[in-house]
Amino acid sequence: MAEAVAPPGRRVLAWAQEYGVYAAVGVLLLFNVLFTPHFLDVANFRTQLVQVAPIVIVSLGMALVIGTQGIDLSVGSVMSLAAALVALYLGYGAWPALLVALAGGAVAGTAGGTLVAYVGVQPIVATLALLVGVRGLANVLVPQLVEFRNPDLIALGSSSLSGVPVIVVIAAVLTLLTAFLVRRTTFGRQVVAIGGNRAASELSGLPVRRVLLLVYVISGMLAALAGVLATARLQASDPTSLGLFIELSAITAVVVGGTPLSGGRIRVLSTVMGALLMQLLSATLIKHNLPQSWTQIVQAVIILAAVYATRERGTR
């Protein structure tokens, strides 16, 4: 019996689901090359990559969480907590301060993961509570902007390896590690299975609660690292404003990259491309003197289109 041929509309939609974000980035790059002055300057590329790197790092953790059919709204607040802890412990050295900040992110992730996996609280509710509480704690610890002059921490945010900013190198390495985790490890396969069908995963004997807990811990630690890197780049700790609304940027990158909110699938490299797409879009509109409100409108349209595409995938 001959195989049924999908209608052209279905084939186009399937192609868009798989490669749409790459095509969109390519079109945007071509537009900028043709119509944006100085776009090909090395300094411009460096600036765009440095600005998007923290969003990429946070988005990697968000992709894992969304892959389990969850959400993590606390990542921006965890970034602010990391900035506060860095300011408090920088007197002991840059690396001890970094470790304390990562530990703070792990604790926040453990709190969220425990509420979701063991208490049974909905992810959006659990992480919303952390969003408010963790930023409040950060503001209590460091109530105002604190500048610093630690050379090791400043180097983390401003130095380069063979001309590539260290912060970009870190984001690239974490992307590869996350892709390997998802595709080549038992833990990654468990994450995808749990997101696809949690009840069936429990019946098959998978350690569902432990995996969910670890996913939120990873998300918290990645957010804390992004907070440290952003603090190092700014050469100042500002828990009041650092990380504000980055959870929305991360969710956007994940969804635009093709990871469905219904879970069961994680597209790591496409998530990075989603973050790059949003960064390029914002920079393009700014360079062409369009107001920020236009950026928000276009982003909203892209998000709706991406959610519709992943919904169509799930209904087939």
Side-chain angles (χ1 to χ4, degrees), residues 12 21 72 84 97 102 121 129 138 163 171 193 198 238 270 283:
V12 171
V21 66
D72 189 354
L102 292 178
V121 179
R198 180 170 176 175
D238 186 13
S270 295

Side-chain angles (χ1 to χ4, degrees), residues 2-304:
E3 294 184 1
V5 178
R10 287 290 189 185
R11 293 200 297 270
V12 171
L13 181 59
W15 185 91
Q17 290 167 347
E18 292 295 330
Y19 307 109
V21 66
Y22 299 95
V25 170
V27 169
L28 202 51
L29 285 173
L30 180 61
F31 174 86
N32 280 286
V33 168
L34 295 176
F35 301 108
T36 302
H38 309 295
F39 178 77
L40 292 178
D41 291 354
V42 174
N44 177 61
F45 276 102
R46 182 186 179 93
T47 299
Q48 300 303 323
L49 291 175
V50 167
Q51 288 179 348
V52 80
I55 299 175
V56 168
I57 294 171
V58 174
S59 298
L60 294 174
M62 187 68 74
L64 293 175
V65 173
I66 290 177
T68 66
Q69 210 173 52
I71 203 79
D72 189 354
L73 300 180
S74 68
V75 288
S77 296
V78 173
M79 287 181 66
S80 72
L81 176 62
L85 292 174
V86 164
L88 290 176
Y89 288 91
L90 194 55
Y92 297 96
W95 296 111
L98 170 62
L99 292 176
V100 171
L102 292 178
V107 170
T110 300
T114 300
L115 289 172
V116 172
Y118 292 93
V119 181
V121 179
Q122 288 292 326
I124 192 171
V125 176
T127 57
L128 179 61
L130 287 173
L131 180 152
V132 178
V134 171
R135 188 170 292 276
L137 174 61
N139 290 331
V140 169
L141 294 175
V142 179
Q144 59 188 6
L145 184 145
V146 176
E147 296 183 355
F148 55 81
R149 293 291 181 267
N150 185 286
D152 292 331
L153 189 59
I154 291 175
L156 189 62
S158 60
S159 62
S160 300
L161 292 175
S162 301
V164 181
V166 169
I167 188 172
V168 175
V169 173
I170 293 173
V173 170
L174 288 173
T175 298
L176 295 176
L177 289 176
T178 305
F180 177 82
L181 179 72
V182 170
R183 297 180 181 180
R184 301 295 182 183
T185 68
T186 300
F187 175 78
R189 290 189 286 271
Q190 290 173 341
V191 169
V192 173
I194 291 168
N197 193 322
R198 180 170 176 175
S201 298
E202 290 176 340
L203 291 174
S204 64
L206 294 182
V208 173
R209 293 181 175 179
R210 186 175 67 198
V211 170
L212 287 175
L213 176 61
L214 287 175
V215 163
Y216 283 90
V217 170
I218 292 172
S219 179
M221 293 184 70
L222 288 174
L225 177 59
V228 173
L229 294 174
T231 299
R233 186 166 68 88
L234 295 172
Q235 300 183 23
S237 173
D238 186 13
T240 301
S241 61
L242 185 67
L244 281 175
F245 305 119
I246 197 170
E247 60 276 358
L248 301 182
S249 298
I251 294 170
T252 299
V254 174
V255 172
V256 169
T259 297
L261 292 172
S262 56
R265 192 166 192 248
I266 303 172
R267 302 189 66 192
V268 177
L269 298 181
S270 295
T271 293
V272 175
M273 295 301 292
L276 287 172
L277 175 63
M278 295 297 104
Q279 174 64 31
L280 280 173
L281 176 63
S282 178
T284 300
L285 295 178
I286 291 172
K287 287 181 180 295
H288 288 269
N289 299 317
L290 292 173
Q292 181 66 23
S293 55
W294 280 100
T295 302
Q296 295 169 339
I297 293 171
V298 175
Q299 286 177 342
V301 172
I302 292 175
I303 292 169
L304 289 174

